[in-house]
Amino acid sequence: MKKLLRHLGHLLIVAIFVLAVYLLYNKLKSYSITQIRACLEQISYGRIGASLVLMAINYMILVGYDWLALKAIHKKLPLPRVGLVSFVGQAVSYNFGALLGGTSVRYRFYHAWGFSITDIVRLVLMLAVTFWVGALGLCGLIFIVAPPVIPDPLMEHMPIKDVRVLGLILTALAFSYLALCFSIRKPVHIFGKEFVFPTPRIAIAQCIVAGIDIIAAAACMYVLLPGHIGISFIDFLPSYLMAQVAVVLTHIPGGVGIFELVILELSHTSHEQAVFAAVLLFRLIYYIIPLLAAAVLLAIYEARQRKDMLKDAGRWLSVLSHSIAAYLTFVGGLILLVSATLPTAWKTLPQIMQTWPKWVLGTGHLCCTLCGAGLLFVSYGLERRQTRAFRLAVAMLAGGIFGALLKGFSWQVALMAATILFAVCLANRRFYRTSFFFEEKIPPYWLGAAFAALACVFMLGWFLYHPAWDRATSWGFERPFNASRTLLGFGAIVVMLACAWLWRLFLRARKRRINDRRQAP
């Protein structure tokens, strides 16, 4: 029964993801990529700089989650270690989800530092409690003080018509937790698990840290919004908060589709393309850049360990380097795919074609596409610490860098891929197993994430180019340039996956024959 419920839960997450992407597509299909790109270009460097500063401040605030959780379970760690596990854990969690990435990262860190499984479970539970108490309290106060305007279609299905009443209920829930922390000092058994309420001082600090965290994160995105759309911060804050809650509840990695849909639905503005452009840039600043920073941090520790420096740090970081390399490689593949799908600007295309012939650009685009798709699957081999997967990942990342530069001088994409390649190469000693993931059963969650990423990229290509694809096929993939090479790249991905599947069947059949011969008398 439990296994059936687990599979149903996975199917529900997939269904929610597909529905969110479909609704987001319907909401944005009336806008062109030119309009969205124009909105991105209108975001000034000053606003981008302010967002980067707020992102750095917010990640420092996030250290308070782990610090308070350690205090609550009566454990101590040096502040640098707390900061490291918080930064890496949050960066992975935001990109891959708490269940898929953040919790496993924290488990390996804390387990390497001597924490028992019970301690880690209590700590992770306290992290979740901190977020929900802060979210409920802040949301309740906003609903009471400055009630937001709820869309009429959504209000019709709500049992409570007055938002301020809902705010009172949410605030009461947060204060109930504080009341329990003040009154109950003995362990409480919930669903067979022991739970100890933190001290009143820690409980109050949890509410403050979580509230400041949400406000800082919302401000990180708010500064990217253009001023002419007429949204004040107090109006935007509930939308951001609801989007984050929806992401946490759905367990979709990175909240892809869900976050964008909720923000657009609750922003109450006709400038949806400007809001969507801000969300895209926010994802780069708040999600991708910290993850790449985690890669740089990993590379620095690995490099210093090579010189026999910080040996203790190297020992406890080594338990995580292969997992972080796997997650980074997955993200690197997604970055290459998105870059290959987005069109080259018509302003720069003639300049590029004067430098290189069209077939060179097409070759670079195809290389970038195939390497990006391959990295989504090869990354699982890095999680398994396999040598051949490491070699494939290095080759594909190098090919992706080469392709990104050839297809249109995409130096930003090449730089991000090079950062990931640097981190993976410095962790090469962690990949020592001779087994090959292609001969093994790949977990459904990893396959699901890989195919979901491909589906998102395919839908992005459909959103950008589908009016021109019929013409592109009839013209022999010559014109229009962006649509034709993207369609060719998608076709190459399908062929590559089909060949890889046949190769996998052959390898597994050969492995079974070898095992049968060994077992034969």
Side-chain angles (χ1 to χ4, degrees):
M1 184 64 180
K2 290 183 178 179
K3 187 176 181 179
L4 178 61
L5 291 175
R6 185 168 62 250
H7 289 313
L8 288 176
H10 293 160
L11 290 175
L12 180 61
I13 292 174
V14 173
I16 293 173
F17 168 73
V18 172
L19 178 62
V21 172
Y22 173 74
L23 294 175
L24 185 62
Y25 168 75
N26 282 337
K27 204 167 188 64
L28 295 173
K29 65 181 180 180
S30 59
Y31 304 108
S32 66
I33 189 65
T34 305
Q35 292 174 299
I36 297 175
R37 172 173 283 172
C39 292
L40 283 170
E41 293 174 351
Q42 289 175 3
I43 301 177
S44 65
Y45 290 114
R47 284 191 283 160
I48 295 175
S51 182
L52 287 169
V53 171
L54 287 168
M55 178 270 291
I57 293 174
N58 187 218
Y59 271 86
M60 288 189 285
I61 294 171
L62 289 172
V63 177
Y65 279 79
D66 287 84
W67 182 260
L68 291 173
L70 289 168
K71 291 288 185 180
I73 65 173
H74 306 292
K75 292 287 184 177
K76 292 183 178 180
L77 277 178
L79 184 58
R81 290 192 177 187
V82 180
L84 178 64
V85 69
S86 173
F87 177 72
V88 176
Q90 293 291 357
V92 174
S93 180
Y94 283 148
N95 285 276
F96 297 97
L99 296 180
L100 185 61
T103 300
S104 61
V105 165
R106 282 190 167 87
Y107 168 78
R108 293 183 181 182
F109 263 122
Y110 287 116
H111 186 68
W113 292 331
F115 284 50
S116 66
I117 296 179
T118 302
D119 291 334
I120 297 173
V121 170
R122 290 173 59 197
L123 186 143
V124 172
L125 179 61
M126 196 57 61
L127 293 174
V129 169
T130 302
F131 170 79
W132 282 110
V133 170
L136 292 175
L138 180 61
C139 190
L141 290 176
I142 293 173
F143 283 3
I144 294 172
V145 177
V149 178
I150 305 296
D152 293 334
L154 183 61
M155 183 62 76
E156 292 176 359
H157 296 85
M158 292 180 61
I160 302 174
K161 302 302 180 182
D162 192 345
V163 177
R164 287 171 293 187
V165 175
L166 181 60
L168 289 173
I169 295 174
L170 296 178
T171 306
L173 290 175
F175 276 102
S176 298
Y177 171 75
L178 294 177
L180 291 173
C181 293
F182 273 88
S183 58
I184 300 178
R185 304 304 318 138
K186 295 181 179 180
V188 177
H189 293 274
I190 303 175
F191 300 110
K193 303 294 182 180
E194 185 178 278
F195 180 80
V196 180
F197 285 97
T199 62
R201 182 181 299 178
I202 293 177
I204 295 173
Q206 284 178 307
C207 296
I208 296 174
V209 168
I212 296 175
D213 160 43
I214 295 171
I215 292 173
C220 179
M221 180 181 168
Y222 178 76
V223 296
L224 298 173
L225 296 173
H228 64 82
I229 64 176
I231 300 178
S232 65
F233 181 71
I234 197 64
D235 292 329
F236 174 76
L237 185 57
S239 302
Y240 179 86
L241 183 56
M242 292 297 100
Q244 287 292 356
V245 170
V247 169
V248 174
L249 289 176
T250 55
H251 296 297
I252 294 175
V256 177
I258 295 292
F259 183 81
E260 289 83 355
L261 181 64
V262 176
I263 289 292
L264 290 174
E265 191 66 36
L266 299 179
S267 295
H268 312 295
T269 178
S270 58
H271 302 277
E272 291 179 336
Q273 71 274 26
V275 176
F276 184 68
V279 173
L280 291 179
L281 191 55
F282 173 74
R283 277 199 174 276
L284 175 65
I285 292 174
Y286 198 78
Y287 288 73
I288 302 301
I289 290 179
L291 190 64
L292 294 176
V296 173
L297 181 64
L298 172 67
I300 291 173
Y301 272 106
E302 289 287 351
R304 299 187 73 173
Q305 188 189 8
R306 295 284 178 94
K307 297 179 181 179
D308 295 326
M309 297 177 64
L310 298 178
K311 293 182 179 180
D312 291 337
R315 281 197 293 269
W316 48 257
L317 189 67
S318 66
V319 301
L320 266 176
S321 57
H322 67 283
S323 292
I324 297 176
Y327 291 133
L328 288 169
T329 301
F330 189 97
V331 172
L334 187 57
I335 290 173
L336 291 176
L337 281 172
V338 172
S339 173
T341 305
L342 292 176
T344 304
W346 290 109
K347 296 179 181 178
T348 60
L349 188 57
Q351 301 173 2
I352 297 172
M353 296 184 69
Q354 288 177 2
T355 306
W356 289 323
K358 184 180 292 186
W359 69 267
V360 173
L361 300 178
T363 301
H365 182 274
L366 188 62
C367 181
C368 189
T369 302
L370 292 178
C371 289
L375 287 171
L376 300 179
F377 300 92
V378 171
S379 57
Y380 174 68
L382 298 184
E383 174 68 14
R384 298 280 295 155
R385 308 188 190 192
Q386 296 173 347
T387 304
R388 279 184 279 181
F390 165 73
R391 292 171 181 168
L392 281 173
V394 170
M396 289 181 178
L397 283 169
I401 296 170
F402 177 74
L405 293 175
L406 274 187
K407 74 179 184 65
F409 297 125
S410 300
W411 63 268
Q412 302 94 334
V413 175
L415 180 61
M416 288 188 283
T419 302
I420 297 173
L421 176 61
F422 180 55
V424 172
C425 287
L426 285 178
N428 67 324
R429 291 186 296 175
R430 314 303 173 198
F431 309 109
Y432 50 83
R433 291 178 176 170
T434 57
S435 58
F436 194 34
F437 70 97
F438 236 55
E439 300 174 353
E440 304 171 350
K441 182 179 179 181
I442 303 177
Y445 71 87
W446 204 284
L447 284 176
F451 281 110
L454 288 175
C456 287
V457 174
F458 287 164
M459 290 200 68
L460 176 62
W462 175 264
F463 170 74
L464 296 176
Y465 304 120
H466 74 273
W469 273 0
D470 291 338
R471 298 192 299 275
T473 53
S474 63
W475 290 339
F477 302 113
E478 293 181 1
R479 295 183 305 176
F481 183 73
N482 287 316
S484 61
R485 66 177 186 171
T486 301
L487 181 57
L488 182 61
F490 287 172
I493 290 177
V494 174
V495 173
M496 183 187 72
L497 291 178
C499 293
W501 181 70
L502 293 174
W503 182 35
R504 173 179 168 83
L505 291 180
F506 169 75
L507 291 177
R508 298 194 73 177
R510 186 182 66 174
K511 187 176 181 180
R512 283 195 299 268
R513 288 197 300 269
I514 294 174
N515 292 335
D516 292 340
R517 291 172 185 171
R518 290 177 178 174
Q519 295 175 1

